[in-house]
Amino acid sequence: MRRSFSNNFVLPAKGRISLLLFVVVTFLASTLAFAQSSPLIMYHADNLEVARKRGTLVLYGNVHFAHDSVSFKTQRAFWNRNSETVECGGGFLFTHPSGYIRARNGSYQRKSEIAIASGEVSAGDSAGNYLMTGQYLKYDRKEDIVSIPSSPRLYQYEKLKNGKIDTVTIQSRSLIFDKKNGFAQAFDDVKLTQKDLVVTCDTGYFDRKNNWLSMKGHPTCDMKNYHLTGDSIFLVLDETGKMLKSALVIRNAHGVQNEEPKRGNPGSVTEAFGDTLYCEFKKGKIERLYVNLNAKGFFYETDLKEYRNLMDGNRLDLYFKKGRMDKAIVSGKAQSTYFYVKKDRTVSGKNEATGDTIHISFDARKNAVKSLRLLGKTTNASGRYIDLEKENRIKENAKRDSLAKLDSLAGKNSKRHLTVTDSLMFKNSLMKNNFKGLFNRRKDKAKQADEAAKTEDAQ
C-alpha cells in the first residue's frame, strides 16, 4: 500500500531541520546503507511527499540539496532514491567551489556527479574569468568539463592594468570546454573574436593555457591589416594571449597584408599564394612570410592597382620592417616583374627577370624595388627592362599618323593645320553621310520594286 505525507506537511525554515532530516534518513535507510561516504543531503524544503515503494520524494518551496562541496537550490524537486537523481524545476541554481550554473530547470546525479541544466542557461567560474551561455548544459564535476550542444557562447574575461576588460568570445552550434585545462572545442559555424582578431571555421580548438588555436573546414583569420585563408590554420598567440605571434596555413593557402597610407605615401597591398604559408608577427606587425610549393606573390600600391609586381617560384620568403616589405627571396624557377614609378606617380617602365633564385631589396620609404640580384644554374639568369614611356610615345605617334592618313584619304591634305578633334569630327560626319546615301539607295530600289509589282497585277 502506498503511503505518503500530506501536501500540508510544512516545516519551518528554522528550528525543524533536524526533524526533516530524521524523516528522510528513516525513509532512505536501505539506500544509505550502501551509499558512499558522502551522501546526497537535503537541507531544507517547505513541503514534501513520500512514496516508499517507488522510492521517491517530491519537494516544494525553497528546496536545498548538498553533496560534498556541491550545493543546488530550486522551487520544485523530484528525488529518485533508486537512481540517486534529483530533477529540479521552477529555477535551478547549482554552485560548486570553482563556479556556478543557473537555469530554468536542472538535475543532479550523485553517482556520476553530473549536473544538467536547460532553459536560458548561464555558467561562470568563481573568479569571474569565464561565462558560458546556451539552452542546454552538461557539467561533469569529476572531469570539470562543460558541454553545451545548443546555441553556446563562451566568454573569457581578463582585466587589464588600465582597468578595461579584454574579452575573448567563442560562438558555434556546439561547444565542449575543459575548465581544468582551459581547452575549448567548438563545432559548426565557429566564430572567435578578440579585439581586432576574428577567426571563423567549421571546427575549432582553443588552448587558452598554451595560447594556440587550431581550425579546419573553410577557416579564415582576419586581423587589423591581415587576412588568411586555407584548408586548415594553426595560430599561436604571444605570452599574454592578446596578440598573434605566428600563423601556419596548410593547403590552398592565401595571405593578404594591407598597409594604410602614411606620411603622404600611398597604401600598399601584399598577397601570397601557395600550398603552405607561414608568417610571424611582432607587436601586431608582420615580420616574415614564407610560402612553399607553387608560391606566388603580388605587391602593388593602392593608387596603381593595375601595376602589380609579381614574384613566382617554388618557394617565396618575404621579410618586413614595421609592416613594410624589406626584402624578398624567390627560389626555384623564379620569375619576377617589377614596375618603376616616378615621383609624379607615373609608371616609367618595368623589369622582368628569371633565374634559379632572385634576391630583391626594397626601399621601405618609397615602397619601391631598390635592387635585384639574379642567380642561375638550372634556369639561366636573365633580365630585361621595358621602357613603358617609349611604348606610349610610339602609340601616340602611330595614332597621329593614322589620323593624318585619314585626312589625306578624305581630300583634306591642304588642311594639315586641323587638330585631332577636328579630324575625328570630320571622320564621323563622313561616315554618317555614307550611311545616309546607302539608306536612300536602298529605299529607292524598294519603291521601284513595289511599283513594278502593281503594274503586273493590273495586267
Side-chain angles (χ1 to χ4, degrees), residues 307-324:
Y307 296 100
R308 299 195 173 197
N309 304 298
L310 169 68
M311 297 168 286
D312 194 345
N314 292 332
R315 171 172 170 157
L316 178 62
D317 288 270
L318 305 179
Y319 299 87
F320 299 79
K321 279 187 178 180
K322 296 181 179 180
R324 290 186 176 271

Side-chain angles (χ1 to χ4, degrees), residues 38 304 346 407 430:
S38 53
L304 297 171
T346 60
D407 290 341
L430 182 63

Side-chain angles (χ1 to χ4, degrees), residues 215-274:
M215 297 152 288
K216 61 181 181 179
H218 310 97
T220 65
C221 173
D222 287 279
M223 291 178 62
K224 186 177 181 180
N225 296 319
Y226 308 100
H227 174 75
L228 297 172
T229 60
D231 289 359
S232 61
I233 299 178
F234 185 84
L235 304 179
V236 177
L237 304 178
D238 63 10
E239 292 73 16
T240 65
K242 301 171 187 175
M243 303 185 75
L244 190 60
K245 186 176 180 181
S246 67
L248 174 65
V249 186
I250 300 175
R251 297 277 180 90
N252 299 310
H254 179 207
V256 182
Q257 181 254 356
N258 292 277
E259 275 295 315
E260 297 295 329
K262 289 182 180 178
R263 300 175 183 175
N265 293 324
S268 62
V269 178
T270 303
E271 291 191 53
F273 304 82

Side-chain angles (χ1 to χ4, degrees), residues 86-243:
V86 180
E87 300 286 345
C88 303
F92 179 66
L93 176 61
F94 182 91
T95 59
H96 52 93
S98 61
Y100 69 91
I101 302 171
R102 184 179 285 109
R104 290 204 302 263
N105 307 294
S107 67
Y108 181 70
Q109 302 172 10
R110 190 190 72 85
K111 290 181 179 179
S112 61
E113 299 186 34
I114 291 177
I116 295 176
S118 62
E120 298 179 4
V121 181
S122 63
D125 66 326
S126 54
N129 295 327
Y130 294 96
L131 174 66
M132 288 159 283
T133 64
Q135 294 302 313
Y136 182 92
L137 180 146
K138 178 181 178 182
Y139 173 54
D140 188 329
R141 181 183 168 229
K142 290 180 180 179
E143 302 295 333
D144 206 15
I145 293 177
V146 177
S147 302
I148 308 178
S150 176
S151 304
R153 297 290 186 275
L154 170 61
Y155 307 91
Q156 188 224 341
Y157 306 106
E158 182 179 353
K159 190 173 182 179
L160 306 178
K161 292 182 180 180
N162 58 9
K164 294 183 179 180
I165 303 297
D166 182 29
T167 305
V168 177
T169 305
I170 300 177
Q171 62 186 65
S172 59
R173 292 190 181 182
S174 63
L175 177 72
I176 300 174
F177 181 53
D178 183 344
K179 294 179 60 183
K180 188 186 299 180
N181 297 307
F183 187 80
Q185 303 176 62
F187 307 94
D188 299 322
D189 297 328
V190 182
K191 183 178 182 180
L192 180 147
T193 58
Q194 180 184 19
K195 287 187 177 179
D196 296 328
L197 178 65
V198 178
V199 172
T200 63
C201 60
D202 293 337
T203 303
Y205 304 94
F206 180 39
D207 188 336
R208 193 65 183 88
K209 183 177 289 186
N210 298 303
N211 289 326
W212 60 260
L213 298 89
S214 178
M215 297 152 288
K216 61 181 181 179
H218 310 97
T220 65
C221 173
D222 287 279
M223 291 178 62
K224 186 177 181 180
N225 296 319
Y226 308 100
H227 174 75
L228 297 172
T229 60
D231 289 359
S232 61
I233 299 178
F234 185 84
L235 304 179
V236 177
L237 304 178
D238 63 10
E239 292 73 16
T240 65
K242 301 171 187 175
M243 303 185 75

